[in-house]
Amino acid sequence: MNTLKALLILACACLALAQVNPKDTVVPGSYMFAFSAKYASDNTTKQRVYATVTQTLKNSAAIRNEYTFGTISGFFLFDVSADQYKVLNTSLAPYGGFQPNTMFQLVLPSPGPVTPIRAPVVGKPNCLKKRCCGRVVNWANNYNLDWLDGKRDGIYCSPTEECDKVDVFVLDTGVQNTHPDFLGRVVATYDCGPIPAPWTALVDIVGHGTHVAGTIGSETYGMTPNVNIRSVKVLNDVGFGTDSTIICGYINVYNWLQANPTKRAIINMSLGYGGLNPLLNAITSWFATYFSSRISESASTSWRQARVCCPPFQLASQA
């Protein structure tokens, strides 16, 4: 029996999250607190810290996106004044430390010159263990698909049995779930807004998340046109995201998998940035290691293997 529970794909070819202007790199009044490792699982200390925060801010709703990934644990604060931050930074120093909640901007690459591609030689499908649908590829639009199965023959063999009913979480700008090429297989699952604004809940205004989801599982252009797409919106309507929105995405997907331990899932993050926040890098590394460790020996085919395309949040180019 297939005991595969989750795969992790950090895809880095489509875009980059680039540092914006220095004056705009943090969310005003927002901070990321990380407990020292020895307090990561100490609920008594955590409750003491939360009580201190609530008393100082006079607002318990300021605490959001509480996270625990192994020995990495903490939370985010919003709407904190400079004076309040000074008080908290001093009073909570014995238990951990603060970092600014950093902001990033989606940067789409400029289109380059089109390289002429030779016409295909149409032949029999180049498939292993009957793992393909053997659909004919429209060479003018989908030559990239034809290359994926190892042979340029005008026929793309997409995985079927391995991919039926797999849930693919796309952490991005959202996904247009009404697009006809998804055939109703997109579910707007989680939304990590409304900060930073402007933010339309669960809707893809930018278009990049829809593009990524289409590459994964659309009927015409998708590598696996029989998966379920679960949209997790972590970037706003103009392509901005923050440390808190990325970790919110992690938290929601992690909780879903904990609640659905027998289901197979893929997490796709076509994101990258310059490694400005070591804590976010550490959380991403933990996330990748955690899900990679959940791959069983029965997941031995090339499709099922966990694949991390690049080191956490560092730019990379994948063919």
Side-chain angles (χ1 to χ4, degrees), residues 41-82:
S41 58
D42 186 342
N43 290 328
T44 300
T45 296
K46 287 183 177 181
Q47 292 305 315
R48 187 182 304 122
V49 167
Y50 296 150
T52 299
V53 171
T54 301
Q55 182 179 5
T56 302
L57 301 182
K58 303 296 190 293
N59 179 15
S60 60
I63 303 175
R64 303 179 198 171
N65 295 337
E66 299 173 42
Y67 61 89
T68 298
F69 301 110
T71 60
I72 308 172
S73 183
F75 55 88
F76 285 85
L77 295 179
F78 292 83
D79 302 320
V80 180
S81 70

Side-chain angles (χ1 to χ4, degrees), residues 297-308:
E297 290 185 2
S298 66
S300 58
T301 66
S302 59
W303 169 249
R304 293 175 177 172
Q305 288 175 346
R307 179 166 179 251
V308 178

Side-chain angles (χ1 to χ4, degrees), residues 25-282:
T25 56
V26 299
V27 180
S30 181
Y31 300 90
M32 180 180 188
F33 183 82
F35 287 101
S36 300
K38 66 178 180 178
Y39 296 122
S41 58
D42 186 342
N43 290 328
T44 300
T45 296
K46 287 183 177 181
Q47 292 305 315
R48 187 182 304 122
V49 167
Y50 296 150
T52 299
V53 171
T54 301
Q55 182 179 5
T56 302
L57 301 182
K58 303 296 190 293
N59 179 15
S60 60
I63 303 175
R64 303 179 198 171
N65 295 337
E66 299 173 42
Y67 61 89
T68 298
F69 301 110
T71 60
I72 308 172
S73 183
F75 55 88
F76 285 85
L77 295 179
F78 292 83
D79 302 320
V80 180
S81 70
D83 290 338
Q84 290 171 332
Y85 172 71
K86 289 179 181 178
V87 172
L88 290 174
N89 193 39
T90 300
S91 60
L92 300 186
Y95 310 110
F98 282 101
Q99 296 183 32
N101 185 11
T102 310
M103 186 182 297
F104 310 99
Q105 182 182 19
L106 179 66
V107 178
L108 295 175
S110 300
V114 177
T115 302
I117 303 296
R118 291 185 303 167
V121 177
V122 178
K124 295 181 180 180
N126 177 31
C127 309
L128 299 175
K129 300 179 181 178
K130 298 181 180 180
R131 294 193 305 109
C132 71
C133 63
R135 61 181 167 137
V136 177
V137 168
N138 181 332
W139 182 255
N141 297 324
N142 289 348
Y143 67 86
N144 56 309
L145 285 179
D146 189 29
W147 284 24
L148 292 175
D149 61 4
K151 186 176 182 180
R152 289 190 297 173
D153 56 6
I155 299 175
Y156 169 60
C157 301
S158 62
T160 54
E161 294 179 2
E162 286 93 352
C163 303
D164 285 340
K165 302 186 185 304
V166 169
D167 291 282
V168 180
F169 289 87
V170 178
L171 278 64
D172 213 289
T173 58
V175 177
Q176 182 187 344
N177 59 358
T178 58
H179 196 292
D181 214 45
F182 290 120
L183 303 179
R185 289 181 287 103
V186 175
V187 179
T189 306
Y190 297 114
D191 186 274
C192 291
I195 296 173
W199 192 293
T200 304
L202 299 172
V203 177
D204 184 11
I205 302 298
V206 178
H208 185 267
T210 302
H211 151 69
V212 170
T215 302
I216 295 168
S218 65
E219 180 67 18
T220 304
Y221 304 98
M223 294 172 58
T224 54
N226 46 353
V227 297
N228 298 318
I229 302 292
R230 291 187 172 273
S231 170
V232 183
K233 184 167 179 173
V234 298
L235 302 176
N236 73 2
D237 296 348
V238 290
F240 280 86
T242 67
D243 296 336
S244 61
T245 60
I246 298 298
I247 290 180
C248 166
Y250 284 166
I251 293 169
N252 283 303
V253 174
Y254 176 80
N255 289 341
W256 186 91
L257 287 164
Q258 291 295 300
N260 299 275
T262 63
K263 290 190 175 182
R264 300 182 298 166
I266 293 172
I267 299 92
N268 185 92
M269 300 179 66
S270 295
L271 312 175
Y273 87 113
L276 301 179
N277 189 330
L279 182 57
L280 186 56
N281 280 345

